[in-house]
Amino acid sequence: MNQSRGETLRERIHESGLDSLIISKPANLRYLTGFTGDYGFLVIGPSGSTFFTSPLYVEQAHSTISHEVKVINTTGIFKTFSRLHSSFWGITIGYEAEFLTCSESAKLKEVLTAKKLIATKGMVEEFRMVKQPYELDAIQRAQQITEKVFDGVIPFIRDGVCERDLAAEIVYRMLHYGGERPAFDTIVASGPNSSLPHIHPTKRKFKMGDLIIIDMGTIVDGYASDMTRTVVLGKANQKQKKIHTLVLDSQKKAFDKVKSGVTCSFIDKNARNVIAHAGYKKHFIHSLGHGVGLEIHELPLLTAKSKTKLREGMVITLEPGVYIPQWGGVRIEDMVMVTNDGCQRITQTPRTILEI
Ligand code: ZN
Ligand code: ZN
């Protein structure tokens, strides 16, 4: 396990009044141990760190997890838990409430009856917010692939091509250029579909005059990228230009306000006010952005309520949008890294309206 991370987390576990913590969220397992599989349980307890996994993942565990973490291969993880000596656990055991299924948490209660089980939330995620240089490097490489793919697929955006065909071309190129997989289901939303922020690509064919939202990202060394551009097939009309400029102004405002020490809600409010003052408040229907890392959506969340303060090294998206039912939508999304006096751009693709 990454030693300094292990120690800081151990302190945090102790401060929270826990003797041990069971970690089962794959992104947290990867962050702490390097394990790249989907299933396993890391127990950080009084006597050290132990990783439990099934035969399906044991080879992957041995090849990725560092030596000071003991790896236990078992077909019955909960049965194995029940056989461990009491000193392995201590008395109070935390678990990641959002990453155990109902049946797993029932089994845990069954096999650890004499223990006090405490549901925890976000203990590892808090550490993950500030990125180390190697993490930033992976995010940047993922974004470089995303930009190369975006530039390369522009000639495919033509009258008569359907959303799914463009999405398939994007995914193919991501993998071809070195992405491990798409970071999320690629969004290609055209014409009236573009007013639905998270719609899956359909068989709708592009028509001249369409607004087309493309939201895409890939994974490199486990780390995600995330970018949205809204293009117009043909010449943009006055309203399309106006809404695009408005969304861009909102994003520029967010850029201006981002710096270490500022709360996430303050950034969201500033960006939202630009859209509200133009009379489109009810058409900006999601939060401003989110952290990006081993997960596509992670802390900090740039919402109207988040009191989290930005810190140097956090990687966040700024993605205001305006969605008008039956007409269409515009979203522009870039990634930045927070610095002490502002932010450093990660996304390089131009943000001006692209008429194809
Ligand atoms: Zn995003
Ligand atoms: Zn996105």
Side-chain angles (χ1 to χ4, degrees):
M1 181 154 63
N2 181 303
Q3 214 157 8
S4 65
R5 273 178 202 167
E7 273 161 34
T8 332
L9 183 59
R10 224 176 280 277
E11 276 168 32
R12 179 84 172 82
I13 291 169
H14 201 69
E15 280 165 17
S16 312
L18 302 172
D19 296 315
S20 43
L21 177 66
I22 303 173
I23 294 154
S24 53
K25 181 175 178 174
N28 291 344
L29 293 175
R30 178 151 188 171
Y31 183 71
L32 293 167
T33 70
F35 177 64
T36 52
D38 296 323
Y39 185 71
F41 292 81
L42 174 69
V43 179
I44 301 180
S47 51
S49 302
T50 314
F51 187 75
F52 300 82
T53 194
S54 73
L56 205 58
Y57 291 104
V58 74
E59 202 182 327
Q60 213 167 344
H62 281 301
S63 63
T64 51
I65 294 179
S66 62
H67 293 299
E68 73 265 25
V69 178
K70 194 174 170 191
V71 174
I72 296 195
N73 178 17
T74 169
T75 48
I77 289 176
F78 291 94
K79 224 175 220 166
T80 308
F81 280 177
S82 72
R83 290 196 205 109
L84 295 164
H85 195 270
S86 185
S87 63
F88 176 86
W89 298 105
I91 293 163
T92 311
I93 307 168
Y95 63 96
E96 294 182 306
E98 291 170 331
F99 286 88
L100 276 191
T101 62
C102 280
S103 83
E104 283 172 338
S105 80
K107 274 189 214 160
L108 199 63
K109 281 174 189 142
E110 206 180 293
V111 298
L112 297 173
T113 38
K115 307 292 180 191
K116 200 171 161 191
L117 289 169
I118 309 281
T120 69
K121 197 181 163 193
M123 278 180 79
V124 182
E125 286 84 340
E126 280 172 26
F127 290 108
R128 287 174 32 206
M129 289 196 288
V130 171
K131 267 62 187 178
Q132 303 298 312
Y134 82 91
E135 298 182 283
L136 179 65
D137 180 64
I139 293 169
Q140 280 170 328
R141 282 182 288 134
Q143 178 56 23
Q144 281 158 9
I145 292 174
T146 301
E147 293 177 11
K148 191 172 172 184
V149 172
F150 179 77
D151 291 345
V153 298
I154 288 170
F156 287 80
I157 305 173
R158 290 192 313 264
D159 196 4
V161 170
C162 82
E163 293 172 354
R164 272 185 206 163
D165 282 340
L166 179 61
E169 187 63 33
I170 288 171
V171 172
Y172 165 73
R173 285 176 182 240
M174 276 178 189
L175 303 189
H176 183 70
Y177 292 143
E180 288 160 28
R181 57 187 162 84
F184 52 92
D185 288 341
T186 302
I187 295 171
V188 175
S190 64
N193 289 347
S194 60
S195 70
L196 306 160
H198 275 174
I199 192 177
H200 290 290
T202 70
K203 293 187 114 173
R204 183 184 183 278
K205 290 177 175 162
F206 302 143
K207 288 189 201 131
M208 293 310 287
D210 274 355
L211 278 170
I212 306 168
I213 291 183
I214 301 166
D215 190 349
M216 57 194 276
T218 190
I219 303 278
V220 168
D221 290 342
Y223 286 82
S225 60
D226 192 4
M227 172 175 89
T228 308
R229 288 293 179 266
T230 306
V231 304
V232 179
L233 187 57
K235 280 262 164 235
N237 63 35
Q238 283 310 309
K239 187 167 180 184
Q240 288 168 335
K241 278 186 193 161
K242 180 181 137 187
I243 300 294
H244 193 278
T245 304
L246 177 63
V247 173
L248 190 53
D249 286 347
S250 163
Q251 201 209 34
K252 282 178 180 165
K253 180 63 102 179
F255 267 100
D256 289 348
K257 299 292 175 189
V258 168
K259 69 172 180 177
S260 180
V262 170
T263 60
C264 289
S265 57
F266 178 78
I267 312 291
D268 180 279
K269 191 172 115 193
N270 271 275
R272 201 166 296 278
N273 279 348
V274 172
I275 289 171
H277 285 151
Y280 290 92
K281 187 180 176 188
K282 68 171 183 179
H283 298 292
F284 182 8
I285 52 179
H286 52 70
S287 54
L288 177 67
H290 52 87
V292 181
L294 286 168
E295 290 175 282
I296 184 63
H297 294 135
E298 58 179 50
L299 297 177
L301 301 178
L302 281 85
T303 65
K305 287 184 179 162
S306 172
K307 298 280 173 277
T308 305
K309 281 188 178 163
L310 294 177
R311 276 187 280 153
E312 187 170 36
M314 286 179 173
V315 171
I316 55 170
T317 68
L318 302 172
E319 49 179 304
V322 166
Y323 309 91
I324 303 170
Q326 320 307 329
W327 178 78
V330 172
R331 176 165 72 256
I332 305 170
E333 174 180 28
D334 288 48
M335 288 191 299
V336 299
M337 189 192 75
V338 180
T339 62
N340 280 332
D341 52 6
C343 64
Q344 182 189 312
R345 271 172 199 281
I346 297 175
T347 311
Q348 302 296 331
T349 299
R351 296 177 294 163
T352 44
I353 194 162
L354 186 61
E355 298 169 307
I356 299 167

